[in-house]
Amino acid sequence: MDPDAEVTFEFVPVIRQYKSGRVERLLPVNPVPPSVDAATGVASKDVTVDKATGLWARLYLPDPDLSARPGGDRRLPIVLYFHGGGLVVGSAADAPEHAFVNRLAARAGALAVSVEYRLAPEHPVPACYDDAWAALRWVVASAADPWVRDHGDVARVFVLGFSAGGNLAHNLTLRAGSEPDLLPRGARVQGMALLHPFFLSPPAPGSEAAEGEVAKYAWVRAKLSEMWAFACGGRTAGPDDPRVNPLTDGAPSLRRLGCARVLVCLADDALAAEGKAYYDGLLASGWAAADAKLLDSAPADHEFHLREPESAKAALLMDRLAALISGN
């Protein structure tokens, strides 16, 4: 059989790989250029983070005058954002992600940095984690881009991620807590938000979630597990890998997360049980309920906030993200 036609991995409608190594990304990406957003007035631009790896990010700057805090503080909190796509598809330039970060920067009055991390299988895990760490180190460095240098407050960094990006956000914030000396003095991750995060930790046997949600999404959950192994190039313990199962035996305690506040967001999707288990794990590890919050947007689905930004549930999600960033 022609190796360029023989399929070795397939997850429709996400990605397909052939024996020859050719990759076909099935999930469409509609890239849009940086601009000044007509609806929000937020300006954006693309910047290189690491020439050696090709890592880049899209920066979003709201009007500093409109975003000034009471008392005249014109420095803005910095939001480090990671898009979704199962670690194999997606882009910071994709139109729905671009529009979402525009709205977030405007609503939260924050300087946002949306990271174009490297994707598997061309760049297997841990390339995405390396890129996330490089982006954090870059954004808090004194030599960062002038927008960051002149307007950003490195003592108020917030790490946000959607779906697979939520997985990156968790692992990045955990590393920031485990290796704080590797960040410049005064730099701090204040908060983390996980939007429908990609984890594989199973719900507890016999739980309500295990009876209903697992059966409903059984095929998708199995494919997600396969896709994780695919993204790792097979070099993983599967669902027992702490990078994708933060609650597995031997995983670092969630108390080691290097932030002061956490927001976990759920939707009606194949990842909801894992997201809820993660939130319960936060509380069990010693996080106070006042500092670890949960937002369940069900019956809204996985991508509702991108597809229906004007909906009431999307507005509530944006309000909660803005509250996390503002500290209110």
Side-chain angles (χ1 to χ4, degrees), residues 282-326:
L282 286 171
L283 300 183
S285 73
W287 277 83
D291 300 322
K293 300 290 188 179
L294 180 71
L295 175 63
D296 190 345
S297 298
D301 64 16
H302 188 63
E303 296 184 337
F304 77 91
H305 61 295
L306 301 180
R307 192 180 60 255
E308 303 168 355
E310 303 303 323
S311 68
K313 286 188 178 292
L316 177 59
L317 172 61
M318 189 63 73
D319 287 346
R320 294 290 295 273
L321 292 174
L324 173 77
I325 295 166
S326 68

Side-chain angles (χ1 to χ4, degrees), residues 1-325:
M1 187 174 183
D2 182 357
D4 207 36
E6 184 178 350
V7 174
T8 56
F9 179 79
E10 182 178 68
F11 183 6
V12 177
V14 181
I15 193 169
R16 181 182 294 127
Q17 187 179 44
Y18 298 88
K19 189 174 183 179
S20 66
R22 181 168 67 93
V23 173
E24 186 180 359
R25 288 185 165 85
L26 309 175
L27 199 65
V29 170
N30 177 24
V32 295
S35 62
V36 176
D37 184 58
T40 63
V42 172
S44 57
K45 67 176 180 179
D46 293 341
V47 298
T48 299
V49 174
D50 187 337
K51 290 181 180 179
T53 62
L55 177 62
W56 62 272
R58 180 161 292 183
L59 273 55
Y60 297 80
L61 181 66
D63 186 331
D65 291 329
L66 296 178
S67 303
R69 303 171 79 200
D73 184 356
R74 296 182 181 275
R75 288 207 169 267
L76 308 178
I78 299 171
V79 171
L80 194 61
Y81 177 77
F82 301 96
H83 65 79
L87 305 178
V88 299
V89 297
S91 172
D94 192 24
E97 296 275 14
H98 174 74
F100 173 75
V101 183
N102 262 318
R103 295 190 299 273
L104 177 63
R107 178 68 179 82
L111 191 157
V113 180
S114 184
V115 182
E116 184 77 351
Y117 55 89
R118 288 171 292 171
L119 300 176
E122 296 90 344
H123 305 282
V125 171
C128 55
Y129 299 125
D130 294 340
D131 288 350
W133 182 250
L136 175 60
R137 301 252 346 236
W138 176 85
V139 86
V140 299
S142 59
D145 180 87
W147 281 12
V148 181
R149 185 185 64 229
D150 297 340
H151 301 288
D153 184 350
V154 298
R156 290 188 292 150
V157 176
F158 294 83
V159 178
L160 276 63
F162 164 56
S163 194
N167 179 291
L168 295 186
H170 157 77
N171 282 283
L172 175 62
T173 308
L174 189 64
R175 183 172 180 182
S178 302
E179 304 177 16
D181 293 341
L182 296 183
L183 297 178
R185 186 174 212 164
R188 177 163 171 77
V189 177
Q190 289 286 352
M192 176 184 77
L194 309 182
L195 283 63
H196 323 150
F198 173 36
F199 295 133
L200 293 179
S201 50
S207 70
E208 181 180 351
E211 294 174 3
E213 187 269 348
V214 170
K216 179 180 177 182
Y217 291 109
W219 182 85
V220 177
R221 291 167 62 85
K223 294 304 291 187
L224 289 172
S225 185
E226 291 177 17
M227 188 169 67
W228 165 253
F230 173 71
C232 294
R235 295 183 293 276
T236 176
D240 292 323
D241 190 323
R243 296 172 298 184
V244 76
N245 182 352
L247 304 180
T248 193
D249 290 344
S253 170
L254 297 181
R255 280 301 300 163
R256 293 173 61 182
L257 287 166
C259 63
R261 301 191 296 277
V262 177
L263 173 64
V264 179
C265 303
L266 310 180
D268 185 0
D269 61 15
L271 302 171
E274 283 78 7
K276 180 58 165 57
Y278 181 91
Y279 177 74
D280 292 342
L282 286 171
L283 300 183
S285 73
W287 277 83
D291 300 322
K293 300 290 188 179
L294 180 71
L295 175 63
D296 190 345
S297 298
D301 64 16
H302 188 63
E303 296 184 337
F304 77 91
H305 61 295
L306 301 180
R307 192 180 60 255
E308 303 168 355
E310 303 303 323
S311 68
K313 286 188 178 292
L316 177 59
L317 172 61
M318 189 63 73
D319 287 346
R320 294 290 295 273
L321 292 174
L324 173 77
I325 295 166

